[in-house]
């Protein structure tokens, strides 16, 4: 029973993590598309600033939400260890503490 509950929680956790990443990606694409549209229509930089500002605020809020879900992940791992629940593996099982950026990420860092 514990393993079934753990599997259900893990599945939902990974689903939530993926959903936030997809939403972050779509919001970033929205910002890019709005900026490209302004440039394509040769509008002044102030055009659409309120909309772009709102989207960037949403992006920042999504990043905070992502961080909170990752904190939840850590909290669940602590509970698993504290109460001796079986580890439920799904997704990437190797999770390094710190990953050095490489390639395009390295250039951006």
């Amino acid at each position: 029973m514990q393993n079934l509950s753990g599997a259900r929680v893990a599945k939902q956790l990974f689903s939530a993590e993926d959903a936030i990443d997809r939403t972050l990606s779509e919001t970033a694409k929205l910002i890019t598309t709005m900026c490209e549209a302004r440039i394509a229509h040769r509008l002044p930089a102030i055009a659409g600033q309120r909309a772009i500002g709102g989207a960037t605020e949403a992006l920042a809020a999504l990043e905070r939400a992502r961080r909170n879900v990752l904190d939840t992940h850590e909290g669940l791992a602590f509970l698993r260890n504290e109460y001796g629940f079986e580890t439920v593996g799904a997704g990437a099982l190797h999770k390094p503490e710190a990953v050095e950026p490489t390639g395009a990420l390295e250039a951006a860092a």
Side-chain angles (χ1 to χ4, degrees):
M1 182 65 169
Q2 286 178 347
N3 197 34
L4 179 60
S5 293
R8 287 179 56 217
V9 169
K11 181 179 177 185
Q12 191 57 51
L13 173 65
F14 296 130
S15 177
E17 290 172 346
D18 289 349
I20 289 175
D21 278 352
R22 282 191 298 276
T23 305
L24 271 166
S25 177
E26 291 301 316
T27 304
K29 289 176 190 175
L30 172 62
I31 294 167
T32 299
T33 303
M34 288 190 294
C35 290
E36 289 171 348
R38 183 201 63 81
I39 292 167
H41 291 280
R42 303 179 59 96
L43 298 172
I46 193 68
Q49 178 55 40
R50 185 177 213 167
I52 291 170
T56 57
E57 288 293 323
L59 192 65
L62 286 165
E63 187 280 327
R64 287 188 301 275
R66 185 181 196 277
R67 197 173 333 134
N68 290 333
V69 170
L70 293 176
D71 289 345
T72 300
H73 194 144
E74 286 182 24
L76 288 169
F78 174 81
L79 287 173
R80 179 199 64 222
N81 295 336
E82 183 77 13
Y83 291 98
F85 293 129
E86 189 175 318
T87 299
V88 177
L93 297 180
H94 176 67
K95 297 175 181 127
E97 284 296 315
V99 177
E100 293 295 320
T102 59
L105 292 176
E106 186 174 39

